[in-house]
Amino acid sequence: MTIMRSVLFVAGNDKEALDESLTYGADALILDLEDLVPPLEKPRARKMVRENIKHAGSRGAEVWVRVNAWETNMTDDDLEAAVCEGLTGINLTKVAGAGDVQRLAWRLEELERKNGLEVGSIKVCLLLETAIGIIHAYESCAASPRVAAAIFGAVDFTRDMQVKLTPEAKEQQFARGYVAVAARAAGIIALDAPFLNYTDKEAYVRNIAEGRQLGYKGRMIVHPSLVEAANRLYSPDPEDVQWAREIKKVFEEEAIAKGKAAIVYKDKLVDTPVYSNALDILANQAEIDAKLGQK
């Protein structure tokens, strides 16, 4: 599974912000060519993004580029600039359905061949942020083996629905939950919407806890002060890791080795699903440890 606990957005035309972003420890950087870049700055931003992809990747972070939606007629220019050695993947905005994803996959293969890259090496992360995008979320997530993650975009979703974006987020409940379910069903990871009130750390922690219960494995980060908490809170709790190690050991020794399907441990039933859950926790922690070891 891809580890993207913290995905920090950086304006593609801001060299200083990019250099600073490499020090914050985010699992992934997304160099933005969409909303964070004014229209007249986009040509310059494309040149800067291409120049900075290899530099950023050499510092240990995965490097993605957020491109403009197909409907803007800017996507091809964005992709021409972004696809080069060192790029991890493309973040496609306002995905409406599987056709948008398949069109991107076809274009990426063309550009990989043009740039001498391994075909299929560039991943895709979807931004699901409109009513039509939410309705077709599963089809989009399953549309190509390149798709590694899907982000729920709350700001654009509420704008599309013509409702207010509120701190209570009741207007997001259905869409937020559905994106997580669709991503899981397609075998990819779900990334939560950005938390805009970055000074309210208590609310941020609560919001992450809510998202984790829905199945989110990480989130978009719009301010570097939120990276550390995301990395910590989207990792398995240390107590859960210790529990998983105990369950793995006792179940393998007292159940599997003795031909049993269930045992009682510390006054609680431990059966195969509990054992499988423990293995999942340990596998997740091992992937995080491996990622940290690569930095």
Side-chain angles (χ1 to χ4, degrees), residues 92-111:
L92 182 64
T93 58
K94 294 180 176 60
V95 175
D100 286 348
V101 183
Q102 291 161 354
R103 181 181 177 185
L104 176 61
W106 172 82
R107 186 73 176 110
L108 286 176
E109 179 173 344
E110 186 177 61
L111 290 170

PDB file of all heavy atoms in Angstrom, residues 92-111:
ATOM      1  N   LEU A  92      -4.909  14.435 -10.791  1.00  0.00           N
ATOM      2  CA  LEU A  92      -5.878  14.960 -11.752  1.00  0.00           C
ATOM      3  C   LEU A  92      -7.074  15.549 -11.018  1.00  0.00           C
ATOM      4  O   LEU A  92      -7.688  14.888 -10.179  1.00  0.00           O
ATOM      5  CB  LEU A  92      -6.344  13.853 -12.704  1.00  0.00           C
ATOM      6  CG  LEU A  92      -7.339  14.281 -13.791  1.00  0.00           C
ATOM      7  CD1 LEU A  92      -6.693  15.296 -14.738  1.00  0.00           C
ATOM      8  CD2 LEU A  92      -7.833  13.064 -14.576  1.00  0.00           C
ATOM      9  N   THR A  93      -7.414  16.782 -11.343  1.00  0.00           N
ATOM     10  CA  THR A  93      -8.491  17.487 -10.657  1.00  0.00           C
ATOM     11  C   THR A  93      -9.843  17.275 -11.321  1.00  0.00           C
ATOM     12  O   THR A  93      -9.932  16.944 -12.504  1.00  0.00           O
ATOM     13  CB  THR A  93      -8.194  18.996 -10.608  1.00  0.00           C
ATOM     14  OG1 THR A  93      -8.030  19.476 -11.944  1.00  0.00           O
ATOM     15  CG2 THR A  93      -6.916  19.260  -9.833  1.00  0.00           C
ATOM     16  N   LYS A  94     -10.897  17.456 -10.519  1.00  0.00           N
ATOM     17  CA  LYS A  94     -12.292  17.433 -10.983  1.00  0.00           C
ATOM     18  C   LYS A  94     -12.590  16.232 -11.877  1.00  0.00           C
ATOM     19  O   LYS A  94     -13.185  16.361 -12.962  1.00  0.00           O
ATOM     20  CB  LYS A  94     -12.631  18.746 -11.675  1.00  0.00           C
ATOM     21  CG  LYS A  94     -12.599  19.928 -10.698  1.00  0.00           C
ATOM     22  CD  LYS A  94     -12.942  21.234 -11.378  1.00  0.00           C
ATOM     23  CE  LYS A  94     -12.988  22.371 -10.351  1.00  0.00           C
ATOM     24  NZ  LYS A  94     -11.693  22.583  -9.641  1.00  0.00           N
ATOM     25  N   VAL A  95     -12.198  15.074 -11.396  1.00  0.00           N
ATOM     26  CA  VAL A  95     -12.452  13.836 -12.136  1.00  0.00           C
ATOM     27  C   VAL A  95     -13.946  13.563 -12.135  1.00  0.00           C
ATOM     28  O   VAL A  95     -14.589  13.493 -11.086  1.00  0.00           O
ATOM     29  CB  VAL A  95     -11.689  12.659 -11.497  1.00  0.00           C
ATOM     30  CG1 VAL A  95     -12.057  11.354 -12.185  1.00  0.00           C
ATOM     31  CG2 VAL A  95     -10.186  12.914 -11.562  1.00  0.00           C
ATOM     32  N   ALA A  96     -14.515  13.377 -13.328  1.00  0.00           N
ATOM     33  CA  ALA A  96     -15.954  13.174 -13.452  1.00  0.00           C
ATOM     34  C   ALA A  96     -16.328  11.713 -13.629  1.00  0.00           C
ATOM     35  O   ALA A  96     -17.463  11.324 -13.351  1.00  0.00           O
ATOM     36  CB  ALA A  96     -16.504  13.990 -14.629  1.00  0.00           C
ATOM     37  N   GLY A  97     -15.390  10.905 -14.114  1.00  0.00           N
ATOM     38  CA  GLY A  97     -15.699   9.507 -14.340  1.00  0.00           C
ATOM     39  C   GLY A  97     -14.507   8.760 -14.899  1.00  0.00           C
ATOM     40  O   GLY A  97     -13.417   9.326 -15.066  1.00  0.00           O
ATOM     41  N   ALA A  98     -14.724   7.488 -15.201  1.00  0.00           N
ATOM     42  CA  ALA A  98     -13.636   6.624 -15.653  1.00  0.00           C
ATOM     43  C   ALA A  98     -12.986   7.139 -16.935  1.00  0.00           C
ATOM     44  O   ALA A  98     -11.782   6.960 -17.146  1.00  0.00           O
ATOM     45  CB  ALA A  98     -14.155   5.206 -15.859  1.00  0.00           C
ATOM     46  N   GLY A  99     -13.761   7.786 -17.789  1.00  0.00           N
ATOM     47  CA  GLY A  99     -13.204   8.288 -19.045  1.00  0.00           C
ATOM     48  C   GLY A  99     -12.091   9.291 -18.828  1.00  0.00           C
ATOM     49  O   GLY A  99     -11.091   9.293 -19.566  1.00  0.00           O
ATOM     50  N   ASP A 100     -12.228  10.146 -17.827  1.00  0.00           N
ATOM     51  CA  ASP A 100     -11.168  11.113 -17.518  1.00  0.00           C
ATOM     52  C   ASP A 100      -9.874  10.407 -17.129  1.00  0.00           C
ATOM     53  O   ASP A 100      -8.775  10.827 -17.503  1.00  0.00           O
ATOM     54  CB  ASP A 100     -11.604  12.017 -16.364  1.00  0.00           C
ATOM     55  CG  ASP A 100     -12.632  13.052 -16.775  1.00  0.00           C
ATOM     56  OD1 ASP A 100     -12.856  13.234 -17.982  1.00  0.00           O
ATOM     57  OD2 ASP A 100     -13.220  13.678 -15.870  1.00  0.00           O
ATOM     58  N   VAL A 101     -10.006   9.334 -16.351  1.00  0.00           N
ATOM     59  CA  VAL A 101      -8.838   8.591 -15.876  1.00  0.00           C
ATOM     60  C   VAL A 101      -8.184   7.835 -17.019  1.00  0.00           C
ATOM     61  O   VAL A 101      -6.952   7.821 -17.168  1.00  0.00           O
ATOM     62  CB  VAL A 101      -9.242   7.628 -14.744  1.00  0.00           C
ATOM     63  CG1 VAL A 101      -8.025   6.900 -14.203  1.00  0.00           C
ATOM     64  CG2 VAL A 101      -9.958   8.385 -13.632  1.00  0.00           C
ATOM     65  N   GLN A 102      -8.988   7.185 -17.848  1.00  0.00           N
ATOM     66  CA  GLN A 102      -8.448   6.414 -18.968  1.00  0.00           C
ATOM     67  C   GLN A 102      -7.761   7.330 -19.984  1.00  0.00           C
ATOM     68  O   GLN A 102      -6.729   6.964 -20.567  1.00  0.00           O
ATOM     69  CB  GLN A 102      -9.572   5.612 -19.603  1.00  0.00           C
ATOM     70  CG  GLN A 102     -10.077   4.499 -18.695  1.00  0.00           C
ATOM     71  CD  GLN A 102     -11.444   3.988 -19.071  1.00  0.00           C
ATOM     72  OE1 GLN A 102     -12.112   4.522 -19.968  1.00  0.00           O
ATOM     73  NE2 GLN A 102     -11.899   2.953 -18.384  1.00  0.00           N
ATOM     74  N   ARG A 103      -8.315   8.497 -20.178  1.00  0.00           N
ATOM     75  CA  ARG A 103      -7.679   9.473 -21.074  1.00  0.00           C
ATOM     76  C   ARG A 103      -6.319   9.882 -20.530  1.00  0.00           C
ATOM     77  O   ARG A 103      -5.340   9.984 -21.277  1.00  0.00           O
ATOM     78  CB  ARG A 103      -8.585  10.698 -21.218  1.00  0.00           C
ATOM     79  CG  ARG A 103      -8.056  11.787 -22.134  1.00  0.00           C
ATOM     80  CD  ARG A 103      -9.037  12.955 -22.176  1.00  0.00           C
ATOM     81  NE  ARG A 103      -8.548  14.058 -22.996  1.00  0.00           N
ATOM     82  CZ  ARG A 103      -9.165  15.233 -23.129  1.00  0.00           C
ATOM     83  NH1 ARG A 103     -10.309  15.436 -22.474  1.00  0.00           N
ATOM     84  NH2 ARG A 103      -8.653  16.179 -23.890  1.00  0.00           N
ATOM     85  N   LEU A 104      -6.234  10.080 -19.216  1.00  0.00           N
ATOM     86  CA  LEU A 104      -4.956  10.425 -18.599  1.00  0.00           C
ATOM     87  C   LEU A 104      -3.961   9.275 -18.716  1.00  0.00           C
ATOM     88  O   LEU A 104      -2.779   9.499 -19.028  1.00  0.00           O
ATOM     89  CB  LEU A 104      -5.162  10.783 -17.123  1.00  0.00           C
ATOM     90  CG  LEU A 104      -3.894  11.080 -16.322  1.00  0.00           C
ATOM     91  CD1 LEU A 104      -3.139  12.268 -16.901  1.00  0.00           C
ATOM     92  CD2 LEU A 104      -4.228  11.330 -14.853  1.00  0.00           C
ATOM     93  N   ALA A 105      -4.411   8.058 -18.478  1.00  0.00           N
ATOM     94  CA  ALA A 105      -3.518   6.894 -18.564  1.00  0.00           C
ATOM     95  C   ALA A 105      -2.938   6.764 -19.968  1.00  0.00           C
ATOM     96  O   ALA A 105      -1.738   6.475 -20.137  1.00  0.00           O
ATOM     97  CB  ALA A 105      -4.280   5.636 -18.177  1.00  0.00           C
ATOM     98  N   TRP A 106      -3.762   6.964 -20.970  1.00  0.00           N
ATOM     99  CA  TRP A 106      -3.291   6.896 -22.361  1.00  0.00           C
ATOM    100  C   TRP A 106      -2.247   7.974 -22.637  1.00  0.00           C
ATOM    101  O   TRP A 106      -1.202   7.724 -23.239  1.00  0.00           O
ATOM    102  CB  TRP A 106      -4.481   7.058 -23.302  1.00  0.00           C
ATOM    103  CG  TRP A 106      -4.077   7.183 -24.746  1.00  0.00           C
ATOM    104  CD1 TRP A 106      -3.765   6.170 -25.595  1.00  0.00           C
ATOM    105  CD2 TRP A 106      -3.926   8.396 -25.491  1.00  0.00           C
ATOM    106  NE1 TRP A 106      -3.415   6.676 -26.833  1.00  0.00           N
ATOM    107  CE2 TRP A 106      -3.511   8.039 -26.794  1.00  0.00           C
ATOM    108  CE3 TRP A 106      -4.100   9.750 -25.176  1.00  0.00           C
ATOM    109  CZ2 TRP A 106      -3.270   9.002 -27.780  1.00  0.00           C
ATOM    110  CZ3 TRP A 106      -3.858  10.708 -26.163  1.00  0.00           C
ATOM    111  CH2 TRP A 106      -3.453  10.322 -27.444  1.00  0.00           C
ATOM    112  N   ARG A 107      -2.523   9.194 -22.160  1.00  0.00           N
ATOM    113  CA  ARG A 107      -1.597  10.299 -22.395  1.00  0.00           C
ATOM    114  C   ARG A 107      -0.282  10.089 -21.647  1.00  0.00           C
ATOM    115  O   ARG A 107       0.800  10.404 -22.167  1.00  0.00           O
ATOM    116  CB  ARG A 107      -2.257  11.602 -21.938  1.00  0.00           C
ATOM    117  CG  ARG A 107      -1.436  12.844 -22.283  1.00  0.00           C
ATOM    118  CD  ARG A 107      -1.484  13.132 -23.766  1.00  0.00           C
ATOM    119  NE  ARG A 107      -0.780  14.381 -24.068  1.00  0.00           N
ATOM    120  CZ  ARG A 107       0.386  14.438 -24.713  1.00  0.00           C
ATOM    121  NH1 ARG A 107       0.978  13.327 -25.122  1.00  0.00           N
ATOM    122  NH2 ARG A 107       0.946  15.604 -24.972  1.00  0.00           N
ATOM    123  N   LEU A 108      -0.359   9.536 -20.441  1.00  0.00           N
ATOM    124  CA  LEU A 108       0.856   9.282 -19.680  1.00  0.00           C
ATOM    125  C   LEU A 108       1.732   8.244 -20.374  1.00  0.00           C
ATOM    126  O   LEU A 108       2.962   8.375 -20.403  1.00  0.00           O
ATOM    127  CB  LEU A 108       0.505   8.819 -18.266  1.00  0.00           C
ATOM    128  CG  LEU A 108      -0.014   9.904 -17.321  1.00  0.00           C
ATOM    129  CD1 LEU A 108      -0.429   9.290 -15.984  1.00  0.00           C
ATOM    130  CD2 LEU A 108       1.030  10.990 -17.090  1.00  0.00           C
ATOM    131  N   GLU A 109       1.118   7.211 -20.930  1.00  0.00           N
ATOM    132  CA  GLU A 109       1.923   6.205 -21.643  1.00  0.00           C
ATOM    133  C   GLU A 109       2.654   6.849 -22.821  1.00  0.00           C
ATOM    134  O   GLU A 109       3.842   6.570 -23.072  1.00  0.00           O
ATOM    135  CB  GLU A 109       1.029   5.067 -22.137  1.00  0.00           C
ATOM    136  CG  GLU A 109       1.815   4.007 -22.898  1.00  0.00           C
ATOM    137  CD  GLU A 109       0.999   2.785 -23.257  1.00  0.00           C
ATOM    138  OE1 GLU A 109      -0.093   2.598 -22.682  1.00  0.00           O
ATOM    139  OE2 GLU A 109       1.460   2.005 -24.126  1.00  0.00           O
ATOM    140  N   GLU A 110       1.965   7.700 -23.525  1.00  0.00           N
ATOM    141  CA  GLU A 110       2.577   8.401 -24.653  1.00  0.00           C
ATOM    142  C   GLU A 110       3.773   9.238 -24.192  1.00  0.00           C
ATOM    143  O   GLU A 110       4.847   9.213 -24.816  1.00  0.00           O
ATOM    144  CB  GLU A 110       1.521   9.291 -25.315  1.00  0.00           C
ATOM    145  CG  GLU A 110       1.974   9.978 -26.587  1.00  0.00           C
ATOM    146  CD  GLU A 110       0.848  10.780 -27.212  1.00  0.00           C
ATOM    147  OE1 GLU A 110       0.349  11.718 -26.554  1.00  0.00           O
ATOM    148  OE2 GLU A 110       0.465  10.468 -28.352  1.00  0.00           O
ATOM    149  N   LEU A 111       3.615   9.946 -23.082  1.00  0.00           N
ATOM    150  CA  LEU A 111       4.682  10.815 -22.589  1.00  0.00           C
ATOM    151  C   LEU A 111       5.816  10.024 -21.940  1.00  0.00           C
ATOM    152  O   LEU A 111       6.980  10.447 -21.999  1.00  0.00           O
ATOM    153  CB  LEU A 111       4.105  11.827 -21.596  1.00  0.00           C
ATOM    154  CG  LEU A 111       3.214  12.899 -22.224  1.00  0.00           C
ATOM    155  CD1 LEU A 111       2.497  13.703 -21.156  1.00  0.00           C
ATOM    156  CD2 LEU A 111       4.031  13.822 -23.129  1.00  0.00           C
TER     157      LEU A 111
END
